[in-house]
């Protein structure tokens, strides 16, 4: 179903179930990361692209201090007041919605109350950023509804991405970087997004795969993961410790020589992945611009090996999906997302999907 049809259907459910008119319906896409895993929270570079799967949010403001959210895809309706907002006060899927409300209020946006009804076709737990798309859709809605009609938005999209990230780190408790929220809020059709996670500057990189006879294929292993669990946090802690041991602000500032000569064990493995992955992101942008698909394939393969062997976030299902894709003729393939399950991504000849 097209996003416009889904939005109209969601608005109808809102009217029927809440006996009220929504202020509108907002959409935000999931994303697939072409290259650059676990580099975002190390101040590095990433290359995500928005996908054609979205979270929709039908939203209206309330003036009675009540915050109510429901999802058509997940059980339960959560209703709370301002006392229920903030770190440690929400759990489950509603923490993403209420986290955005709290982070916007912390940023100075007056959100007196809200009704939110959600619908999503972004697979949850697949490494396609369903949570960031949810946050982005809700944030877009609340900023639009709170801004003066016909005037500029109270927050630009980079500021919104920062708000959404704070919701996930402080309220949900997932120590994520800012890639997912930025990709959902600033992605463009037909382009990947080169994001400098330190400066937050973006460059839209043309991704005209059709002209090269290729399709971007996402393969869902159905092995689900969650960023709020311990393994993801443990990798981030190791990266922070490695940067501290090297005396640099973040691993973005380290060199391969630093890593190989001054670190050992787990810290060395994690740092080596981040430093080499940053380099691969910049090199793949050049390779895409030059149409050098052989180099793209080599960089994807090196990235997957690094995540499997150094960062140790792959799994047998992801390794199998990548190997099968290459055997079947994919130009390039690798796991994508935070790891421990989720999806692989492959560039395959059109018609071979």
């Amino acid at each position: 179903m097209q996003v416009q049809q889904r939005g109209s259907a969601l608005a109808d459910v809102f009217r029927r179930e809440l006996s009220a008119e929504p202020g509108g319906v907002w959409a935000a896409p999931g994303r697939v990361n072409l290259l650059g895993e676990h580099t975002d929270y190390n101040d590095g570079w990433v290359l995500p692209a928005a996908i054609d799967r979205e979270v929709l949010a039908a939203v209206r403001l309330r003036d009675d201090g009540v915050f109510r959210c429901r999802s058509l895809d997940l059980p339960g309706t959560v209703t709370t007041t301002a006392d229920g907002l903030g770190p440690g006060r929400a759990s489950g899927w509603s923490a993403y919605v209420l986290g955005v409300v709290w982070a916007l209020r912390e940023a100075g946006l007056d959100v007196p109350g809200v009704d939110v009804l959600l619908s999503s076709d972004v697979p949850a737990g697949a490494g396609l950023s369903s949570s960031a798309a949810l946050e982005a859709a809700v944030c877009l809605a609340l900023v639009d509804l709170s801004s003066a009609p016909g005037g500029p938005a109270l927050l630009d999209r980079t500021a919104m991405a920062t708000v959404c990230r704070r919701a996930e780190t402080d309220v949900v408790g997932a120590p994520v970087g800012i890639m997912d929220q930025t990709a959902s809020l600033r992605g463009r059709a037909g382009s990947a997004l080169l994001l400098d996670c330190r400066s937050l500057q973006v460059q839209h990189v043309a991704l005209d795969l059709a002209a090269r006879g290729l399709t971007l294929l996402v393969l869902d292993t159905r092995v689900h993961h969650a960023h709020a669990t311990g393994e993801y946090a443990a990798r981030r802690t190791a990266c922070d410790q490695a940067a501290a041991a090297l005396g640099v602000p973040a691993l973005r500032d380290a060199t391969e020589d630093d890593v190989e000569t001054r670190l050992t064990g787990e810290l060395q493995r994690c740092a080596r992945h981040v430093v080499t992955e940053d380099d691969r992101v910049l090199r793949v942008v050049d390779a895409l611009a030059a149409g050098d698909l052989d180099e793209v394939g080599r960089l994807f393969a090196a990235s997957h090996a690094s995540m499997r062997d150094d960062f140790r976030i792959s799994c047998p299902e992801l390794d199998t999906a990548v190997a099968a894709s290459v055997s079947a003729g994919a130009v390039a393939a690798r796991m994508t997302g935070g790891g421990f399950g989720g999806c692989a991504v492959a560039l395959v000849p059109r018609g071979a999907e």
Side-chain angles (χ1 to χ4, degrees):
M1 185 184 298
Q2 296 294 322
V3 66
Q4 293 86 353
Q5 295 173 291
R6 289 179 56 217
S8 179
L10 185 64
D12 288 342
V13 175
F14 191 102
R15 296 183 191 101
R16 184 171 64 251
E17 295 196 359
L18 301 181
S19 300
E21 185 70 23
V25 178
W26 287 259
R31 68 97 187 97
V32 63
N33 195 23
L34 298 183
L35 206 65
E37 304 303 349
H38 292 262
T39 51
D40 56 346
Y41 57 77
N42 288 291
D43 281 1
W45 289 268
V46 291
L47 189 68
I51 61 173
D52 60 349
R53 298 290 185 272
E54 302 91 7
V55 173
L56 303 185
V59 180
R60 72 160 185 152
L61 292 181
R62 302 170 59 117
D63 59 7
D64 59 0
V66 171
F67 301 88
R68 178 170 55 177
C69 47
R70 184 168 109 68
S71 169
L72 298 186
D73 310 297
L74 297 165
T77 297
V78 175
T79 303
T80 189
T81 64
D83 290 339
L85 303 177
R89 299 181 186 181
S91 61
W93 66 266
S94 67
Y96 295 94
V97 178
L98 298 175
V100 170
V101 173
W102 171 80
L104 283 171
R105 285 163 63 100
E106 289 288 295
L109 196 72
D110 180 25
V111 184
V114 70
D115 281 322
V116 177
L117 180 64
L118 300 167
S119 175
S120 174
D121 65 358
V122 184
L128 299 177
S129 296
S130 59
S131 59
L134 185 161
E135 293 156 1
V138 172
C139 191
L140 283 166
L142 295 178
V143 170
D144 281 352
L145 290 172
S146 301
S147 301
L154 293 173
L155 297 175
D156 66 22
R157 292 205 171 200
T158 297
M160 289 187 218
T162 301
V163 163
C164 291
R165 181 195 183 191
R166 189 177 184 195
E168 192 155 348
T169 58
D170 292 8
V171 177
V172 177
V176 298
I178 202 166
M179 171 180 66
D180 298 347
Q181 294 83 2
T182 303
S184 188
L185 285 160
R186 300 196 64 182
R188 291 180 184 172
S191 297
L193 187 77
L194 177 62
L195 170 65
D196 180 333
C197 296
R198 173 169 286 167
S199 69
L200 302 186
Q201 292 183 331
V202 302
Q203 174 187 337
H204 295 279
V205 177
L207 199 63
D208 190 3
L209 299 178
R212 295 176 178 141
L214 297 174
T215 295
L216 181 64
L217 186 64
V218 179
L219 303 93
D220 188 355
T221 66
R222 302 297 177 92
V223 178
H224 287 187
H225 71 175
H227 282 170
T229 56
E231 288 293 336
Y232 185 99
R235 297 302 185 279
R236 177 157 189 169
T237 297
C239 290
D240 291 343
Q241 291 173 342
L246 294 173
V248 294
L251 286 178
R252 169 204 178 110
D253 305 296
T255 67
E256 284 191 65
D257 184 64
D258 289 336
V259 171
E260 297 299 338
T261 60
R262 298 173 58 193
L263 297 175
T264 59
E266 177 74 358
L267 298 190
Q268 184 186 67
R269 287 191 295 269
C270 287
R272 181 165 52 220
H273 164 71
V274 172
V275 170
T276 58
E277 187 83 343
D278 271 335
D279 179 62
R280 284 187 287 268
V281 171
L282 300 178
R283 287 167 59 195
V284 86
V285 169
D286 291 339
L288 286 169
D292 188 346
L293 298 180
D294 288 341
E295 178 68 357
V296 173
R298 286 190 290 269
L299 292 167
F300 270 47
S303 175
H304 185 80
S306 181
M307 291 184 287
R308 181 192 63 216
D309 301 333
D310 274 341
F311 221 62
R312 294 177 297 115
I313 58 173
S314 189
C315 64
E317 293 85 353
L318 282 168
D319 295 339
T320 298
V322 169
S325 297
V326 173
S327 296
V331 171
R334 61 185 283 278
M335 65 154 282
T336 185
F340 313 105
C343 290
V345 62
L347 298 179
V348 302
R350 290 180 70 85
E353 306 96 291

